């Protein structure tokens, strides 16, 4: 059986380091808001190239609290619109509506699945105040274009980096493009904790200070509360685990890129659409080329197939586990039934056709070749 992702194998590589880090926290006697969190925040900010990293309980809270902080600072107010691509995971949309803001769902770029500058620009209204580009599958959105649009319209930009730890465009990493960014360290992420965890990165001192209070009951000083905050703190054990995992992230990313290259070079089945169609990145409106995306960190390797169910069954019969990211778009979820009548044909087609195949940094070359052979054998 070729597993989609073997978390036990991934973490077993660093078993002693993780156990030592855990023991260090246990022996310290300090388990919340201590030295491990401070050190991880410093190390992760340096990795992303930002002034600040603020640890929180999970990736959804990272997005929710950033939008909340902008409301506290008077930069957003209830009813303001936030543009986001419609094919994202529901968490991106939940963060918007949780703050009484209005999501403007737009069609993505059909090749990258990320926010398209053309549809973004066309969606802006007088009530639009922010953009939430989601770096799906490990690939940065076209941030130079997005930031230019944001600047022209005086819009805030919150990057959803849940799947893009370390992704770059021209040497500038995810989390260092927008006004702020939210990261998830869910165990299956490229930088995964051993439980729930998240962080916010920013270069804005005022925003960072506000977020540090909001995550801690609205308090900078114990028993003195500036805001009606929440309890969303990255605990010492998870911070210690992440410090270990961060040291190995670049090596794991390099292996992910090797596997993705093998897939891109080896899979030649005309029934299967591979990611990163270079021709589709080039348009009259934006000089995007595949070279901009050579730092894709491949959180997922997502293909498209008109007969997805048959492909998934074919691979299962070959002992290859696959997943669907994601089967139902947010606007068709019961939770957002008010958007059910929206016409988003590209988004709906994507959700009907995408299939994620195994991409695990512990995979052997032989396992990768088995997946390639099975993909090429699919007859539809």
């Amino acid at each position: 059986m070729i597993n989609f992702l073997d978390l036990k194998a991934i973490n077993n590589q660093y078993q002693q380091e993780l156990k030592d880090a855990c023991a260090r926290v246990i022996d310290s006697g300090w388990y919340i808001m201590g030295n491990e969190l401070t050190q991880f925040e410093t190390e992760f900010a340096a990795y992303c190239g930002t002034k600040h990293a603020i640890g929180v309980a999970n990736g959804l809270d990272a997005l929710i609290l950033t939008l909340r902080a902008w409301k506290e600072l008077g930069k957003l107010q209830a009813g303001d619109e936030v543009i986001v691509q419609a094919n994202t995971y529901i968490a991106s949309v939940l963060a918007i509506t949780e703050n009484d803001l209005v999501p403007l769902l737009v069609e993505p770029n059909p090749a990258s699945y990320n926010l398209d500058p053309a549809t973004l620009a066309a969606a802006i209204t007088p009530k639009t105040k922010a953009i939430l580009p989601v770096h799906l599958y490990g690939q940065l959105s076209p941030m130079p274009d997005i930031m230019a649009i944001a600047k022209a319209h005086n819009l805030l930009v919150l990057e959803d980096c849940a799947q893009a730890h370390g992704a770059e465009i021209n040497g500038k990493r995810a989390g260092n493009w927008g006004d702020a960014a939210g990261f998830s360290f869910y165990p299956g992420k490229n930088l995964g904790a051993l439980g729930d965890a998240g962080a916010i990165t920013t270069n804005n001192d005022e925003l960072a200070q506000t977020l540090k209070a909001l995550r801690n009951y609205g308090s900078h000083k114990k028993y003195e509360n500036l805001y009606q905050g929440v309890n969303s703190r990255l605990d010492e054990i998870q911070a210690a685990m992440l410090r270990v995992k961060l040291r190995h992230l670049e090596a794991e990313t390099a292996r992910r890129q090797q596997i993705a290259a093998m897939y891109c070079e080896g899979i030649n089945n005309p029934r299967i659409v591979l990611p990163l169609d270079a021709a589709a990145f080039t348009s009259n409106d934006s000089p995007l080329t595949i070279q901009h995306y050579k730092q894709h960190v491949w959180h997922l390797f997502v293909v498209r197939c008109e007969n997805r169910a048959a492909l998934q069954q074919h691979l299962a019969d070959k002992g290859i586990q696959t997943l669907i990211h994601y089967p139902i778009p947010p606007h068709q979820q019961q939770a957002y039934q008010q958007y059910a009548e929206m016409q988003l044909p590209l988004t709906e087609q994507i959700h009907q056709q995408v299939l994620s195949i195994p991409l695990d940094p512990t995979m052997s070359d032989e396992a990768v070749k088995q997946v390639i052979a099975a993909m090429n054998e699919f007859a539809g």
Side-chain angles (χ1 to χ4, degrees):
M1 178 71 179
I2 298 176
N3 292 320
F4 180 78
L5 185 69
D6 190 340
L7 288 179
K8 186 175 180 180
I10 290 171
N11 290 323
N12 274 348
Q13 301 173 107
Y14 323 120
Q15 184 179 109
Q16 192 58 54
E17 290 178 78
L18 292 169
K19 288 181 177 179
D20 289 347
C22 188
R24 186 172 68 242
V25 174
I26 294 170
D27 292 344
S28 75
W30 194 288
Y31 308 121
I32 298 287
M33 303 283 282
N35 182 65
E36 296 294 337
L37 175 60
T38 298
Q39 292 300 315
F40 173 69
E41 289 176 331
T42 299
E43 293 160 7
F44 190 66
Y47 177 80
C48 295
T50 58
K51 288 180 66 176
H52 304 283
I54 301 97
V56 294
N58 54 69
L60 176 56
D61 280 2
L63 299 177
I64 289 174
L65 289 174
T66 303
L67 294 171
R68 166 76 187 282
W70 281 333
K71 289 180 72 177
E72 294 287 354
L73 294 170
K75 297 180 182 295
L76 293 175
Q77 60 183 1
D80 285 344
E81 296 171 346
V82 181
I83 295 175
V84 63
Q85 67 254 44
N87 61 310
T88 185
Y89 182 57
I90 198 170
S92 310
V93 185
L94 288 170
I96 297 169
T97 56
E98 181 68 17
N99 280 286
D100 296 319
L101 303 168
V102 179
L104 283 186
L105 303 173
V106 299
E107 295 275 47
N109 179 288
S112 70
Y113 311 114
N114 281 336
L115 193 58
D116 190 307
T119 57
L120 163 62
I124 295 170
T125 78
K127 295 197 71 176
T128 305
K129 301 301 179 184
I131 306 169
L132 206 166
V134 185
H135 307 319
L136 277 177
Y137 310 147
Q139 176 178 310
L140 271 175
S141 303
M143 293 307 297
D145 291 348
I146 290 171
M147 295 309 297
I149 292 169
K151 184 176 180 181
H153 295 271
N154 194 30
L155 304 177
L156 295 164
V157 176
L158 171 57
E159 299 174 68
D160 185 335
C161 299
Q163 301 183 2
H165 314 73
E168 299 179 7
I169 298 177
N170 299 330
K172 191 172 183 177
R173 281 185 168 151
N176 194 23
W177 284 92
D179 298 286
F183 286 84
S184 168
F185 304 124
Y186 180 78
K189 303 299 186 184
N190 289 27
L191 179 59
L194 275 69
D196 268 326
I200 302 152
T201 57
T202 185
N203 291 307
N204 186 287
D205 296 339
E206 184 181 34
L207 177 62
Q209 288 302 110
T210 304
L211 286 164
K212 287 179 179 180
L214 285 174
R215 72 174 176 185
N216 187 38
Y217 300 100
S219 173
H220 282 300
K221 183 178 179 181
K222 196 169 186 178
Y223 304 130
E224 295 181 12
N225 304 82
L226 300 175
Y227 311 104
Q228 296 176 24
V230 299
N231 177 7
S232 180
R233 301 173 299 201
L234 174 56
D235 68 67
E236 288 289 281
I237 288 284
Q238 295 306 332
M241 302 295 102
L242 287 165
R243 292 184 68 198
V244 171
K245 299 290 287 293
L246 182 59
R247 293 196 291 268
H248 300 283
L249 179 58
E250 288 298 285
E252 288 197 11
T253 298
R255 179 56 181 161
R256 287 177 179 274
Q257 291 169 333
Q258 290 174 352
I259 294 168
M262 291 175 69
Y263 281 156
C264 288
E265 293 166 7
I267 299 171
N268 54 26
N269 191 328
R271 298 172 182 84
I272 296 169
V273 178
L274 294 173
L276 294 176
D277 179 354
F281 279 128
T282 305
S283 71
N284 294 328
D285 300 320
S286 179
L288 296 177
T289 66
I290 198 165
Q291 282 72 33
H292 286 83
Y293 295 93
K294 64 182 179 180
Q295 293 300 319
H296 193 321
V297 296
W298 298 101
H299 172 59
L300 300 170
F301 193 97
V302 179
V303 301
R304 285 171 61 185
C305 181
E306 289 186 6
N307 196 349
R308 177 179 66 194
L311 175 60
Q312 189 169 36
Q313 185 59 56
H314 166 77
L315 294 173
D317 292 343
K318 298 285 185 178
I320 298 168
Q321 183 185 28
T322 60
L323 295 176
I324 298 172
H325 297 91
Y326 302 97
I328 306 172
H331 74 282
Q332 292 184 332
Q333 297 282 0
Q334 178 67 26
Y336 288 112
Q337 56 185 304
Q338 66 267 40
Y339 300 114
E341 300 303 317
M342 289 190 72
Q343 300 299 307
L344 294 163
L346 174 59
T347 291
E348 291 163 17
Q349 182 186 58
I350 287 170
H351 284 260
Q352 291 162 7
Q353 295 183 353
V354 290
L355 185 68
S356 302
I357 64 176
L359 204 164
D360 180 328
T362 66
M363 284 178 74
S364 67
D365 284 357
E366 183 57 38
V368 177
K369 291 174 184 177
Q370 289 179 42
V371 175
I372 292 170
M375 296 284 278
N376 288 336
E377 290 166 4
F378 176 63

